[in-house]
Amino acid sequence: MVKINDNYQKLQGSYLFSTIAKKVGEYAAGNPDRKIIRLGIGDVTRPLTPSVIGALHNAVDEMADEKTFRGYAPDLGYDFLRKAICDNDFKARGCEIEEDEIFISDGAKPDSGNIQEIFAGDNKVAVCDPVYPVYVDSNVMAGRAGDFVADAGRYSDIIYLPCTAENGFVPELPKTGADIIYLCFPNNPTGEAITKDALQNWVDYANKNGSVIIFDAAYEAYISEENIPHSIYECSGAKECAIELRSFSKNAGFTGLRLGYAVVPKALKRGVSLHSLWARRHATKYNGAPYIVQRAGEAVYSDEGKKEIRGLIDYYMENAKYILSGLKEAGYTVYGGVNSPYVWMATPDGLSSWEFFDRLLENANVVGTPGSGFGSCGEGYFRLTSFGSHENTREAVDRIRKM
Ligand SMILES: *Cc1c(COP(=O)(O)O)cnc(C)c1O
């Protein structure tokens, strides 16, 4: 008889968003006259921009013509997109990344879940706490996490790196050896960024210990301050120890279109070249992002496309500004929201994350995300996002101020 992968039994139910939906549903049913505003969403709301839509239309027409029709895409991505990425995201920032070190994919979530496959089962995994759950769960599935310890709300074999107000939401280097280290900056959920010097310490640690850093830069486009690295390859020695993941979701609104990429430098070797392992994995399990979507991705790097994407980011960051200043005026302690679309607030009056969720829902009819849902160090915090409309964001913040 078939045996299932027992590791799946160790996964914890994702209570976070289902519990939120249930609570909001109950409140809405009991108070049908109230307008509930959701500032908990981690999805964009602005539509795709004209350049992207134009490129999609053109590519669709090409597919209708025998002369320009395309079948299977190259496994690792079309050259036109890899070149645009390489020139704009790396060479323009002084990072010496080559086109053939870029692996086009259908997004940073799949890449961040799949990348662990090329590493042995007995590696020690380190993650930030609070954390984007994919890094943990994909390693649970692969059997690297050990057992879930309910009291601690943590897995026995994962190294958790606390990110709290005390350390500015940037983790300290682990005391015990960490082999695979997941870092995401600017961070979801805290909204805080890492300086180049602090990231350099991690690169040095990884090179000294033979570790590999998986650097999730999905929010890179939101960076507004100097001295915040857009890519880990701005740090010296990063090509020898880091894989970087990027996404078109949060900058260009591709959450429904699907496009991302991973950078695996050829200089990254642990006995063998990780570049060749990831190339082999792609070739075997992936048949490439759709041609029309890769053309849409290329349009993001056109002059017009860049302007439009800037407009999207500015739109969301205007919301972030309004949330930050409104909450500060109301006396709340707030973090993030400067280099990322997320605002991370400390709950007032010693309330737990869920108690504050209830208070906000009942008194302001505003929905956010309890920080404890992202890990035990998220307890006592609450996440608001800037992905709503200007109108809703303003109204929500004004209601919280009156609360
Ligand atoms: C939204 C998000 C992504 C993007 O994932 P896609 O699959 O590219 O849509 C990646 N990492 C983090 C931390 C995110 O919040």
Side-chain angles (χ1 to χ4, degrees):
M1 193 174 106
V2 73
K3 296 191 183 74
I4 60 138
N5 177 352
D6 263 341
N7 296 317
Y8 276 66
Q9 304 285 79
K10 297 181 180 174
L11 290 166
Q12 300 305 300
S14 178
Y15 298 116
L16 182 61
F17 289 101
S18 56
T19 308
I20 291 173
K22 188 164 163 271
K23 279 175 178 272
V24 174
E26 279 167 12
Y27 182 84
N31 302 273
D33 53 321
R34 302 289 175 85
K35 180 191 164 199
I36 295 170
I37 300 180
R38 287 174 174 78
L39 291 191
I41 39 168
D43 195 358
V44 297
T45 55
R46 304 270 91 205
L48 295 167
T49 64
S51 300
V52 168
I53 292 295
L56 282 170
H57 280 299
N58 286 341
V60 167
D61 287 342
E62 282 182 74
M63 292 299 239
D65 184 337
E66 192 181 339
K67 289 188 228 51
T68 48
F69 165 78
R70 313 267 183 143
Y72 287 123
D75 298 329
L76 307 185
Y78 280 104
D79 287 342
F80 61 78
L81 181 57
R82 296 170 100 190
K83 181 171 182 352
I85 288 170
C86 194
D87 290 348
N88 289 281
D89 289 344
F90 298 102
K91 296 213 164 109
R93 294 197 179 278
C95 304
E96 283 167 27
I97 293 296
E98 301 301 323
E99 288 163 36
D100 63 358
E101 295 175 315
I102 291 161
F103 297 74
I104 307 299
S105 74
D106 57 344
K109 179 177 177 176
D111 279 346
S112 66
N114 291 329
I115 194 75
Q116 48 76 30
E117 250 186 75
I118 61 170
F119 299 101
D122 55 357
N123 281 297
K124 270 278 184 193
V125 172
V127 298
C128 292
D129 180 4
V131 69
Y132 181 60
V134 179
Y135 317 146
V136 174
D137 287 355
S138 57
N139 279 290
V140 173
M141 292 169 176
R144 281 188 205 91
D147 294 313
F148 188 71
V149 184
D151 286 349
R154 291 176 159 190
Y155 287 92
S156 57
D157 292 355
I158 296 229
I159 300 170
Y160 290 89
L161 309 164
C163 295
T164 60
E166 287 69 45
N167 59 22
F169 303 96
V170 173
E172 272 122 59
L173 298 172
K175 289 182 189 67
T176 50
D179 301 314
I180 307 171
I181 301 162
Y182 291 84
L183 295 178
C184 171
F185 288 102
N187 188 264
N188 176 13
T190 70
E192 286 286 332
I194 193 168
T195 63
K196 197 165 157 183
D197 289 348
L199 187 57
Q200 184 67 55
N201 289 337
W202 281 92
V203 168
D204 294 344
Y205 172 95
N207 277 325
K208 189 162 144 256
N209 292 282
S211 326
V212 169
I213 296 173
I214 314 293
F215 189 73
D216 184 341
Y219 296 97
E220 162 286 319
Y222 290 84
I223 292 171
S224 67
E225 292 182 318
E226 296 290 314
N227 202 33
I228 304 293
H230 288 251
S231 165
I232 195 168
Y233 304 113
E234 291 176 40
C235 296
S236 64
K239 283 207 293 189
E240 280 75 40
C241 69
I243 292 171
E244 182 162 301
L245 310 180
R246 293 278 192 108
S247 169
F248 288 75
S249 286
K250 309 298 165 39
N251 59 342
F254 278 41
T255 53
L257 202 55
R258 309 305 308 143
L259 193 64
Y261 65 88
V263 183
V264 188
K266 280 170 281 184
L268 176 50
K269 299 197 170 91
R270 292 294 179 265
V272 299
S273 150
L274 270 58
H275 182 277
S276 65
L277 297 187
W278 192 238
R280 185 58 202 256
R281 194 264 173 208
H282 251 257
T284 301
K285 294 197 179 181
Y286 190 55
N287 251 336
Y291 172 68
I292 59 173
V293 178
Q294 294 196 51
R295 280 294 183 201
E298 181 189 31
V300 168
Y301 296 101
S302 65
D303 288 342
E304 214 36 53
K306 282 184 201 166
K307 268 186 234 150
E308 293 164 1
I309 293 333
R310 192 65 254 158
L312 288 179
I313 308 270
D314 289 347
Y315 183 94
Y316 295 129
M317 289 313 278
E318 202 179 311
N319 288 343
K321 264 203 194 103
Y322 198 85
I323 298 173
L324 272 184
S325 63
L327 294 183
K328 271 187 206 158
E329 273 170 39
Y332 292 100
T333 307
V334 285
Y335 306 96
V338 175
N339 296 299
S340 98
Y342 296 116
V343 174
W344 189 241
M345 62 190 292
T347 58
D349 312 327
L351 295 179
S352 74
S353 298
W354 277 110
E355 285 166 346
F356 185 68
F357 175 91
D358 291 336
R359 185 192 276 193
L360 208 59
L361 176 60
E362 281 157 28
N363 298 334
N365 305 150
V366 171
V367 180
T369 313
S372 55
F374 298 101
S376 53
C377 291
E379 182 56 272
Y381 293 95
F382 199 77
R383 191 190 76 174
L384 295 175
T385 85
S386 309
F387 287 131
S389 67
H390 284 335
E391 300 70 28
N392 279 347
T393 304
R394 287 208 189 94
E395 190 178 338
V397 172
D398 293 346
R399 285 191 206 163
I400 296 172
R401 282 157 73 166
K402 288 199 200 98
M403 215 167 86

